[in-house]
Amino acid sequence: MLLSPPDTDDQYFFKESVEKYPSEFWSEILVSEIGVVLGFNVLKYDVGHYQGRLGCLSKNMVSNPNTSLYHGVDVLNDYVSDFIITKKPTYSFQQLMHLCESSNEFNAFKKQFIEMILLDSLIGNTDRHTENWSFIIDYSSHNKEKKDFDTKSQIYNLLLSLFRSEKSKGNIKDGMDIISETKFSFSPIYDSGSCLGREIPELKISEYLNNRQRIVKYLEKCNHEIQWINSRVNCFELVKNISLSERTIFRDIYTSSVQNLTDVKIKNLVENIDKGVPINYGNLNSVRKEFIVALLIERLKRLKEIGDAS
């Protein structure tokens, strides 16, 4: 749901938890704070209360009329020849790297893809499908030149149709000839709420807290949406493979972010996430907070084992 506060041009999305996972909106808020601590470019989520309903608020990334999201599914379809669009498309890390190497514009985004995967692996996000990451296109220069187009979608569709036409004819050398004057950036990381054990009901949490092996087994079932070659693998196996195949970039990211994260920082962040929020806003109870901390600490330990060995 898109909302606009009075007396401002800003736009915000209000997102509620799905009914069976009532703490999901807190996962979005927690992940945005974790991302900030790591130094990653993440979309900011805050607690929201709208017409008696609870959820999280995030600012519209493309409220500027000269910007638009270029979703992953469209990017891969335009640039990666072996990517196939289905009802729920699958894709691999190798395809992402092929995308990055297809042009100078994309090559700069290897770092952002690896950061996104590291964050997912820390929080246990299993829903990084092809519409849960995007690039932001800023075509303000085209907007000034093409005054007969009065909406961003018309300009955006024109650029993409020209691009796809020339690409199919083999006339594009670097993959960005048609929109070379357009500013192109990786969007903030967003829609990361399918994580942090949000699907575990309150009555089951104590079973995990009282038995570390339950937590270990739970982590082992976490396969990342992004495949390694043609198979979905555990998040930590994916990270380990990346640490070996993209060693320099991975090492730079790891030493500047994950390596500096501590158990104490995690505990303080989770325990204070709802500080100052009225009780009737559906604050996280202490048991679920303890469970989230236990999950994050165990995941961080595994990521540090991989990173320290890289």
Side-chain angles (χ1 to χ4, degrees):
M1 181 183 302
L2 191 59
L3 305 173
S4 295
D7 304 320
T8 177
D9 293 330
D10 292 338
Q11 296 178 325
Y12 291 83
F13 284 99
F14 177 72
K15 181 179 179 181
E16 298 176 77
S17 300
V18 296
E19 187 175 353
K20 61 181 178 179
Y21 306 142
S23 68
E24 186 175 52
F25 78 87
W26 279 112
S27 295
E28 292 282 14
I29 296 167
L30 278 164
V31 171
S32 71
E33 294 299 322
I34 291 169
V36 169
V37 171
L38 290 171
F40 296 168
N41 182 22
V42 292
L43 185 62
K44 175 68 174 175
Y45 286 88
D46 288 304
V47 182
H49 188 256
Y50 178 71
Q51 296 184 347
R53 306 198 304 273
L54 296 172
C56 54
L57 283 172
S58 59
K59 194 171 183 179
N60 185 5
M61 294 182 286
V62 289
S63 56
N64 184 321
N66 294 320
T67 59
S68 185
L69 288 182
Y70 188 13
H71 285 103
V73 64
D74 296 315
V75 178
L76 291 170
N77 187 50
D78 290 335
Y79 283 90
V80 180
S81 59
D82 61 348
F83 175 73
I84 301 173
I85 293 184
T86 60
K87 187 175 181 180
K88 188 177 181 180
T90 61
Y91 67 117
S92 68
F93 180 76
Q94 284 72 26
Q95 288 175 315
L96 293 180
M97 293 303 97
H98 175 75
L99 168 69
C100 291
E101 292 162 5
S102 65
S103 73
N104 290 332
E105 287 78 9
F106 285 123
N107 191 55
F109 301 129
K110 278 189 176 184
K111 181 175 183 283
Q112 281 81 3
F113 278 122
I114 295 174
E115 286 179 345
M116 183 175 72
I117 292 170
L118 271 171
L119 179 62
D120 285 343
S121 300
L122 175 63
I123 63 176
N125 179 32
T126 58
D127 193 35
R128 191 62 66 192
H129 57 73
T130 55
E131 291 191 44
N132 270 358
W133 58 270
S134 303
F135 293 104
I136 295 177
I137 293 180
D138 181 346
Y139 38 84
S140 53
S141 60
H142 294 277
N143 192 27
K144 293 175 183 177
E145 295 168 5
K146 299 183 180 296
K147 298 183 183 297
D148 50 325
F149 292 91
D150 57 4
T151 68
K152 65 179 182 179
S153 61
Q154 286 176 303
I155 301 169
Y156 174 67
N157 289 334
L158 170 69
L159 291 171
L160 282 186
S161 63
L162 286 171
F163 161 69
R164 286 167 177 158
S165 173
E166 294 304 302
K167 184 172 184 288
S168 66
K169 296 175 185 176
N171 293 336
I172 294 179
K173 295 179 181 179
D174 64 1
M176 289 294 288
D177 293 30
I178 295 299
I179 51 178
S180 59
E181 298 176 20
T182 305
K183 293 181 181 178
F184 207 56
S185 61
F186 203 97
S187 77
I189 302 171
Y190 61 92
D191 278 359
S192 306
S194 299
C195 65
L196 298 177
R198 60 69 162 112
E199 78 282 6
I200 306 297
E202 304 292 324
L203 295 176
K204 292 282 186 180
I205 289 178
S206 60
E207 296 178 14
Y208 289 84
L209 291 176
N210 294 329
N211 186 351
R212 182 177 174 274
Q213 280 304 115
R214 289 290 300 273
I215 291 180
V216 171
K217 288 182 180 179
Y218 177 72
L219 267 56
E220 290 173 350
K221 293 179 181 178
C222 179
N223 291 339
H224 204 286
E225 187 79 30
I226 298 173
Q227 298 183 352
W228 182 258
I229 307 178
N230 295 315
S231 300
R232 287 191 70 177
V233 297
N234 184 274
C235 289
F236 304 110
E237 183 179 347
L238 178 62
V239 170
K240 183 176 181 180
N241 290 339
I242 292 171
S243 74
L244 298 173
S245 65
E246 298 292 336
R247 189 181 298 271
T248 301
I249 297 176
F250 175 86
R251 186 67 188 168
D252 287 345
I253 297 170
Y254 173 73
T255 54
S256 64
S257 59
V258 177
Q259 191 175 52
N260 299 320
L261 187 60
T262 65
D263 296 358
V264 173
K265 288 180 181 179
I266 288 173
K267 188 175 181 180
N268 288 338
L269 188 155
V270 175
E271 288 184 348
N272 293 294
I273 194 65
D274 53 1
K275 187 177 181 180
V277 176
I279 294 175
N280 62 344
Y281 269 49
N283 304 57
L284 285 170
N285 63 55
S286 58
V287 176
R288 184 165 289 278
K289 284 182 179 179
E290 185 180 354
F291 178 51
I292 291 172
V293 169
L295 289 177
L296 286 170
I297 288 176
E298 188 67 35
R299 289 184 170 279
L300 178 61
K301 176 185 175 183
R302 293 185 176 215
L303 288 177
K304 284 191 172 183
E305 287 173 353
I306 296 169
D308 291 344
S310 65

